[in-house]
Amino acid sequence: MFDGPFDVFALIIAIIAILIAIKASSQAAELRRRFNTLEEMFYAQRRQVQPPPPLPVQAQVETPTTAATEPPPLAPEAEAAPPPLVTEELSPLPLAAGPQADAPPPLPAPAPDIREPGFEERLGTRWVVWIGGLALALGGFFMVRYSIEAGLLGPGVRVFLGGLFAAALLAAGEWTRRKESISNIAALPIANIPAILTAAGTAVAFATIYAAYALYGFLVPATAFVLLGIVAMCTLAAALLHGPALAGLGVVGAFVTPVLVSSGKPDYWALYIYLAVVTAASFGLARIRLWRWLAVTTIAFAVLWLFPGLDTEQVQVAPHAFHVIAGFVLAALLVVCGFMFGPEIQDGEIEPISSGALGAYLFGAMLIVLSSAHADLALIAFALLVGATLLVAWRASAATGAIGAAAATVFVVFAEWAVRANPDMLVLPGGPIAGIGPAATDSSVTLHLVTAAIFAAGFGIAGFLAQGRSNSAIIPVVWSVAGVATPIAILVALYARIAHLDRSIPFAILAVLLAAAFGAATEALTRRETRPGIMISAALFATGTLGALALALTFALEKGWLTIALALMSLGTAWISLQRPIPFLRWLAAIFAGLVTARIAYDPRIVGDAVGTTPIFNWLLWGYGLPAASFWAASLFLRRRADDAPLRMVETAAILFTALLAFMEIRHFATGGDMISPPSLLEFALQVCITLAMAIGLERLRLRSHSIVHDVGAIVLTAIGGLISVIGLLILENPLIWRVDVGGAVFNLLLLGYALPAVLMLLLSYAVAGPRGKAYANTIAGGALVFALAYVTLEIRRFYHGPILSTGPTTGAEQYTYSIGWLGFGVVLLGVGILVNSERARLASAAVIALTILKAFVIDMSALTGVYRALSFMGLGIVLVAIGWLYQRILFRRQVAPPPAPQSGS
């Protein structure tokens, strides 16, 4: 349908213009209708509040006749409204003495016309006009196309006629606007005909100029650029008269013009000077008409225009810096509420567009710094914008949200600078990330250090001085968060860049000085009078004190102390929350616990290969033990106030680090310090024992704390112990299946891996018997029985086969010993059950003896020969008879009723 770019572009522009006009016209009509309704209600209420003065006595006689024949005229605003319907008769009012009673009551105000327009009204007053505007624009485009296809007119005449048609549409729009403004008749809720005609005219003007440039070559790029820009600016100016439809079309056309007119050698200075003019005009229009959407659209287009020049090897920093600085200044002057020429706003409110506008240009400045490899000019421009953000937010609280954006961009800039000099931080399985690493274009370290010092001091001092300046609590809290977090983040980034995460006494001294500054700020804020947000800010500065001290410890010691430092920050924050009951501090303690957990997930060994080979007393003890102790202590502090989500997070971290400490130390001990070697029977045995012991401890603890975390943690540890027992001890490292050296005759791995877990399972079953339910406890007791029987069996095999149980044949004597051992084990269980009156032990005895009977008839009868077969069955029979006697005589002894006494005769 469309043969060239002219047709496609023209149609797109026309459709955009019509759609914008439709939306704007509908909004204007709705606002006009609501205004008329409110005006009618106002006049009606005014007539009811101010009754007419009493008439003279002579006039009072004539008043009823006059009022009955000639009703008073309606207000001009309500002439189009239908009269109210009368649904019931009005009874005559009794006459009261006095002239006021003889005066007629005021007539009720006519009901406002709030009905929705019907289909016919919409069709005749709106849809026809909108479709007509679209038809006008398309008609001009199609006429040019027809002239091209038929060869009727030359290129010059076509361009001339297109311009003439555009001028005619613009003139018609202006004429209809003037005629409408001259009329005294109130405007009906119809489509905005002048705006639609003007939009169609500007669309045709855009298309005509572009055709003269792109299709026919009548215009050089510079001339076309200027003409298209003039049309866009005129469209924005016309929006002052015609409404938001033309504003949308103008801003789109203005920012799209550089795309339409391009050259092989882009001139960024010309582009960004042009965009600065367009941005100023758009922001000015948005300020005059209070069109927030126009300001947001302009900012979005301006930021998007920053990207084309950033993907080249040699970034032209100067024009890009001019672009973000000019946009930032214009946004501060015209968009930020309460600052310079910006709109008014209530004090103490954070306005999203005011904060977002400054944040968007800060984001652009950050991109320039990162793309230019931290060029000096880019960093200076970024520092200027950050300082300007602090100044604007200090004067206008509506832009306080930009403080957070400034702090975030500062951290990103310095963190990327640190990573650029330490590519090993981003090592992936495929190697370091491409493009990361020091380059010859990197700016000087001195400039970064000076800038970092200015940023840290600026954010910290401003965050302290901003306390007490606002009646809203959120304003000083935002300032204090930035004042605490930014210096700490900058210090960490500089430490990573310069000290490469190694020990550094100078950085430790800086951290101590920072902690002292935060401590002084905390002390000063606690002595001030109570103001909104000052308590939260004092708590934040106190937390910063703990954080800086933890960093000092980290900088002065080894790498793994960072984990310990963060854990101590969680403990310190929990203690501060006990002194200052601020909900945010509880969440902060939980956040620190989450950071430590994430740090462990990144490197479970904490210090890499420098864990050491000493059992127990190695870096794992400090890296996991101190955080675990910190989290347990923090949970005690937090529990004194409430049982909430932060407490549960810290309790979860405490249980997690305790379990990880046990598992990691066991692995270190079992592997001799080689943390990547395969597991062994010793490791599985120790893990099962420790896990079951911790589950027993949590079962006891939860009865006192009533914590859901302790409750769930006990179940999870029990499940983990069961899985390791079954998979690890009975399958993966079972000495009957695999070649495993179990050690000595009595004190060996069998005692550790099967006997001790059986005892712990039995204790756990008794610990959960009441609170958890009978089925849960019996399941654990069943596991204890299985492992106890496995220990008896494996010890018998160890007696016949030595340390390696998986080799050698099974003799008749060995089979007979198994039967004797199982039977003896069952008898022992029965004896224990009788002595302590335990039904569970007696049932376990019955299960073992039943298994022994099954073995005798299935295995012994076929495998044993000679005297062993006879002795097996004889011994089994004797034991069974003895058991029956015990049950009859001791457990279930029948009470024989005494004979009845003889009755004496009467």
Side-chain angles (χ1 to χ4, degrees), residues 100 599 649:
Q100 192 73 305
R599 169 71 176 86
M649 293 173 64

Side-chain angles (χ1 to χ4, degrees), residues 679-689 724 727-729 732-733:
S680 61
L681 178 62
L682 174 62
E683 181 177 354
F684 282 139
L686 291 173
Q687 287 178 350
V688 170
C689 294
I724 299 176
I727 299 176
L729 297 178
L732 296 180
E733 293 295 326

